[in-house]
Amino acid sequence: MSESSNRPPLSITPGQWSFTRWKTIGQLEALEIHHPLFRATLFLQGAHLTHFAPQDHADWLWLSNTARFEPGRAIRGGIPICWPWFGDPARNAPEVRKRISTDSAHGFARTALWKLEDVRESAHEVEISLSLDANEDFADAWNGHALALVTFVFSVRGCQIALTTTNLSSAPLAFSQALHTYLPTTDIERTRVLGLGDSHYIDTLDNWEYRAQEGPVYFHGETDRIYESHEPLTIMTPTGGRTLTSVGSDSIVVWNPGPEKAARLSDFPDTGWKSMLCVETANAASDYRVLNEGQSHTLGVFIGRKTFDY
């Protein structure tokens, strides 16, 4: 996914970082990266990235202007980590659903407090790793034991995220997940997603029926689809383009709430649907994963820049 794996790592002792600083935002602790080449903001709660931009660029991520930064409350925007299940528990495969003992959607990782594992800095990149030990502390919502390790690599070329799940229990572990990426646009009706043509998707707004996609994905009101695809994607907006390249995923979720649902969502402006879309790297629907004892699986995405004549 990234050329960074070929570079010699430079580990920086905590407290001696050159570009990374602690900051309290609202009631939450975050790491702010002020590198000469880029900026980023990463919260410990949810291992939630809310801002990334190369120097002199607008934010590559969409963040609600009514988002609240409170303990136990999911942040609206950025890249929430949906884990160890995605979406409505009842809509997950039986192997995933049987471990869930709550009606809450999208798992508990996005509101849990993650542990900072490492910060590595160089003249070209900053790499940050956080972990979540999903043990008996989460027994009221989920029956399982797994370790989630997420690594962010920021550079002038883009942002890489790799989420690795390791099954720490003796029984097979089934789970679903998503990197719920919110992207900005100046006009949702002049925005399209390329790379999903000729694929099939589940339309969750139409009785979860299967549909065939022909050509680019356009947005005309509320959209909520789970695509069966692992192809690289390009998101074209009136001001430019982004590329999303995934690993460990055979499902892509494309979502926009439209005007009616936007009015019902928490921490979401009524007109916010006009300026955002979600394109989520996922293991969703039939693309859920099963790990035997000690096995690991990595779900990842690289978000890069590409310029287009619109």
Side-chain angles (χ1 to χ4, degrees):
M1 282 169 47
S2 167
E3 298 171 0
S4 64
S5 58
N6 297 322
R7 82 205 183 307
L10 177 61
S11 185
I12 304 298
T13 303
Q16 298 180 349
W17 305 324
S18 297
F19 311 118
T20 306
R21 297 288 185 272
W22 288 105
K23 184 173 183 180
T24 300
I25 301 176
Q27 300 175 42
L28 302 179
E29 292 299 307
L31 291 166
E32 282 204 337
I33 298 93
H34 291 269
H35 193 281
L37 300 177
F38 51 85
R39 300 284 189 271
T41 303
L42 178 62
F43 285 82
L44 288 190
Q45 177 171 287
H48 195 139
L49 182 67
T50 59
H51 173 79
F52 171 76
Q55 186 71 5
D56 300 325
H57 280 248
D59 197 343
W60 283 22
L61 303 175
W62 182 88
L63 180 67
S64 171
N65 59 18
T66 59
R68 288 186 276 179
F69 307 100
E70 302 172 358
R73 187 181 192 91
I75 300 170
R76 178 69 72 182
I79 307 181
I81 295 177
C82 303
W83 184 93
W85 67 89
F86 170 76
D88 182 350
R91 286 293 186 175
N92 275 261
E95 293 90 338
V96 178
R97 188 169 63 241
K98 71 181 183 181
R99 290 186 173 272
I100 306 170
S101 52
T102 176
D103 293 332
S104 298
H106 295 320
F108 49 78
R110 64 192 181 132
T111 55
L113 190 62
W114 291 57
K115 175 185 175 183
L116 178 63
E117 292 289 349
D118 197 12
V119 176
R120 295 169 179 250
E121 300 182 333
S122 75
H124 304 288
E125 296 181 342
V126 172
E127 177 180 313
I128 299 179
S129 298
L130 302 100
S131 67
L132 177 64
D133 185 357
N135 53 26
E136 61 275 3
D137 292 344
F138 301 95
D140 59 337
W142 186 67
N143 176 24
H145 189 194
L147 179 69
L149 177 68
V150 62
T151 299
F152 299 84
V153 181
F154 307 109
S155 72
V156 71
R157 297 180 303 106
C159 170
Q160 174 183 305
I161 307 168
L163 174 62
T164 299
T165 301
T166 302
N167 180 12
L168 300 181
S169 66
S170 58
L173 176 69
F175 65 102
S176 58
Q177 59 184 340
L179 301 172
H180 198 304
T181 305
Y182 285 78
L183 299 167
T185 178
T186 53
D187 184 353
I188 189 61
E189 294 184 349
R190 295 174 60 209
T191 297
R192 59 186 187 261
V193 180
L194 306 178
L196 293 170
D198 301 323
S199 65
H200 290 79
Y201 65 89
I202 299 171
D203 190 339
T204 71
L205 302 178
D206 188 14
N207 297 314
W208 286 65
E209 294 289 336
Y210 272 90
R211 299 282 184 264
Q213 178 68 38
E214 296 182 4
V217 179
Y218 291 91
F219 297 87
H220 305 289
E222 184 177 359
T223 304
D224 193 353
R225 302 172 180 176
I226 303 173
Y227 282 85
E228 296 178 341
S229 178
H230 57 265
E231 297 298 322
L233 304 180
T234 299
I235 291 82
M236 297 180 66
T237 76
T239 56
R242 295 283 177 267
T243 60
L244 273 68
T245 305
S246 302
V247 298
S249 167
D250 291 311
S251 52
I252 298 289
V253 179
V254 178
W255 179 74
N256 180 281
E260 293 183 7
K261 187 166 186 177
R264 303 193 303 268
L265 290 173
S266 61
D267 306 335
F268 197 102
D270 287 352
T271 59
W273 63 277
K274 297 180 179 180
S275 60
M276 55 72 63
L277 67 154
C278 284
V279 181
E280 309 167 37
T281 301
N283 295 132
S286 62
D287 184 35
Y288 71 94
R289 299 302 166 103
V290 180
L291 298 175
N292 291 322
E293 179 181 4
Q295 286 186 326
S296 298
H297 170 71
T298 297
L299 175 73
V301 64
F302 180 78
I303 305 171
R305 176 179 56 190
K306 195 166 186 178
T307 303
F308 297 91
D309 294 326
Y310 193 81

